[in-house]
Amino acid sequence: MDIKTATSLRRLRLVSAPEAVSFLILLLCSVLKRTTDFNAVPVMGAIHGVLFVLYVIFWADAWNRAKWPLGTAALYFVLSVLPTGGFFAERRLRREAEDAVIAARARREGVLNA
């Protein structure tokens, strides 16, 4: 894995958890708006919107650079629209990055011909 691919995966991983948190807070604010006089939906909606747009941009870049199959790319996109999906995406992306580092070290040391 080259440095640009690793960077794009890292960016996607770093934005996925905050996007998931903002989604959950937005849902909570929506409930509070309907049940109380508290209305933070416009603010949280804007924050979540920015994070979601960043996620989609970073997702498209990671898909392009990592050459994911359509199923993997679709999975990461579906995880972005589920309330807790960003946490699962972050976990999978972290595991994928760790596996890539292990494989690169093994290739460098001549242990593996991968």
Side-chain angles (χ1 to χ4, degrees):
M1 178 181 306
D2 66 340
I3 191 72
K4 289 183 179 182
T5 303
T7 301
S8 67
L9 291 175
R10 185 171 189 268
R11 278 192 308 234
L12 180 61
R13 184 176 65 85
L14 290 176
V15 80
S16 63
E19 190 271 336
V21 169
S22 72
F23 194 2
L24 292 173
I25 294 173
L26 179 60
L27 291 175
L28 176 67
C29 289
S30 296
V31 170
L32 291 174
K33 177 184 175 184
R34 304 286 182 224
T35 58
T36 67
D37 291 335
F38 182 74
N39 185 9
V41 171
V43 173
M44 278 312 301
I47 292 170
H48 174 67
V50 167
L51 288 171
F52 181 74
V53 167
L54 283 174
Y55 184 95
V56 171
I57 290 169
F58 294 159
W59 166 79
D61 183 45
W63 183 13
N64 182 40
R65 292 189 187 278
K67 306 295 186 226
W68 287 329
L70 183 60
T72 302
L75 173 68
Y76 283 124
F77 186 79
V78 168
L79 288 175
S80 75
V81 296
L82 298 175
T84 58
F87 299 120
F88 296 107
E90 192 274 334
R91 183 183 239 172
R92 282 183 57 111
L93 287 164
R94 184 172 13 111
R95 200 173 317 131
E96 186 176 328
E98 290 169 354
D99 291 346
V101 167
I102 291 168
R105 285 182 184 158
R107 270 193 306 267
R108 189 173 7 148
E109 294 172 4
V111 175
L112 182 67
N113 254 351

